[in-house]
Amino acid sequence: MLASKKKILKKALILFSEYGPRTTTMDDVAASSGVSKKTLYKHFENKADLIETLYRRLLSHVEIKIRQVLDEADDAVAEFLSVSRLILKFSAFFPPAVIRQLKQDNVEVYSELHLFRTQFLPVTLSYNIERGKGCGLYKEDVNSNIIAHLSLSQLMAYNKDITLLGHQHSGKDVQQQLVACLLYGITTHQGEDLANQHLNQYSTTVQV
């Protein structure tokens, strides 16, 4: 039972991300998940219930992952890289059409998403920048609030930017260049050396 529900949520997320929650039907979700509509409705009362469950779980999952990074990262640079990776993965599920449809059709879900994007994520990045400044890894004159919001806007716009680039570069290369650009703009010489080390590791593990 739990396995089928997990599969339904996974397939629904893929469909919603590509076609939008409004366009995707429960028939589509059932067919993609390989379950009957009867089984689908055993797990979810209706499409609104599916949407709310899916996106709330996604937001909770990403928040838990980010807090885990904050607890475990060895230094501010490693923390920035790991948080950036999570934001890049997270943003892939929210192209403009999805956000627009949630805003119009699922107000409560949109409100939670809006708070996550406009409060939790900027505060997390701002915290990271203050941590880096305190350790001498980031420049002292960096305004953590401004840079946090600028960095977030760039990370969240990644999927649009990769579309504009077409097939000129791989998603992996674009992610690498984006995160490197953000990091090198704020690091001191000490932080830059550490960034070089981490980026070499990051380049071998980053996934689209």
Side-chain angles (χ1 to χ4, degrees):
M1 183 75 87
L2 291 177
S4 62
K5 183 173 184 178
K6 184 176 180 180
K7 184 177 181 180
I8 290 168
L9 289 169
K10 182 178 180 179
K11 294 297 184 179
L13 180 59
I14 294 172
L15 291 172
F16 291 168
S17 301
E18 185 170 356
Y19 303 108
R22 180 187 298 162
T23 305
T24 303
T25 66
M26 294 294 270
D27 285 329
D28 295 329
V29 175
S32 180
S33 305
V35 300
S36 65
K37 286 187 69 176
K38 181 179 180 180
T39 299
L40 178 60
Y41 281 105
K42 281 183 179 179
H43 293 297
F44 305 100
E45 183 177 347
N46 48 43
K47 191 165 84 168
D49 181 32
L50 171 60
I51 291 171
E52 290 174 10
T53 301
L54 172 60
Y55 286 115
R56 283 176 175 154
R57 286 194 179 194
L58 177 60
L59 291 175
S60 176
H61 174 74
V62 176
E63 180 175 346
I64 289 171
K65 288 291 187 181
I66 289 177
R67 291 190 184 280
Q68 185 177 3
V69 168
L70 299 181
D71 290 337
E72 298 177 359
D74 293 332
D75 57 74
V77 174
E79 182 179 280
F80 184 92
L81 283 169
S82 295
V83 170
S84 295
R85 287 183 68 182
L86 288 169
I87 293 174
L88 286 166
K89 290 180 180 180
F90 167 78
S91 66
F93 300 121
F94 294 98
V98 171
I99 295 175
R100 183 170 58 252
Q101 289 178 24
L102 289 175
K103 184 177 182 179
Q104 295 171 349
D105 303 337
N106 306 89
V107 178
E108 290 186 7
V109 173
Y110 173 78
S111 296
E112 293 179 27
L113 172 62
H114 182 71
L115 286 174
F116 187 82
R117 284 159 48 99
T118 61
Q119 294 189 23
F120 177 73
L121 292 180
V123 168
T124 298
L125 289 173
S126 182
Y127 167 84
N128 170 264
I129 294 167
E130 288 299 322
R131 178 188 179 188
K133 288 167 63 176
C135 298
L137 298 177
Y138 298 162
K139 299 170 184 176
E140 289 187 6
D141 61 350
V142 167
N143 183 302
S144 60
N145 184 51
I146 292 175
I147 296 301
H149 280 83
L150 289 175
S151 297
L152 180 59
S153 67
Q154 290 295 309
L155 292 167
M156 295 297 288
Y158 161 76
N159 291 289
K160 183 173 74 172
D161 293 339
I162 192 65
T163 300
L164 293 174
L165 286 168
H167 300 291
Q168 299 175 55
H169 306 280
S170 69
K172 175 181 175 180
D173 288 340
V174 176
Q175 286 190 15
Q176 173 80 352
Q177 290 293 310
L178 171 58
V179 177
C181 181
L182 295 174
L183 260 180
Y184 288 138
I186 62 176
T187 49
T188 61
H189 290 304
Q190 178 186 354
E192 186 175 334
D193 290 340
L194 195 56
N196 288 334
Q197 297 175 30
H198 287 308
L199 281 167
N200 287 334
Q201 298 173 353
Y202 178 77
S203 65
T204 63
T205 58
V206 66
Q207 300 177 354
V208 182

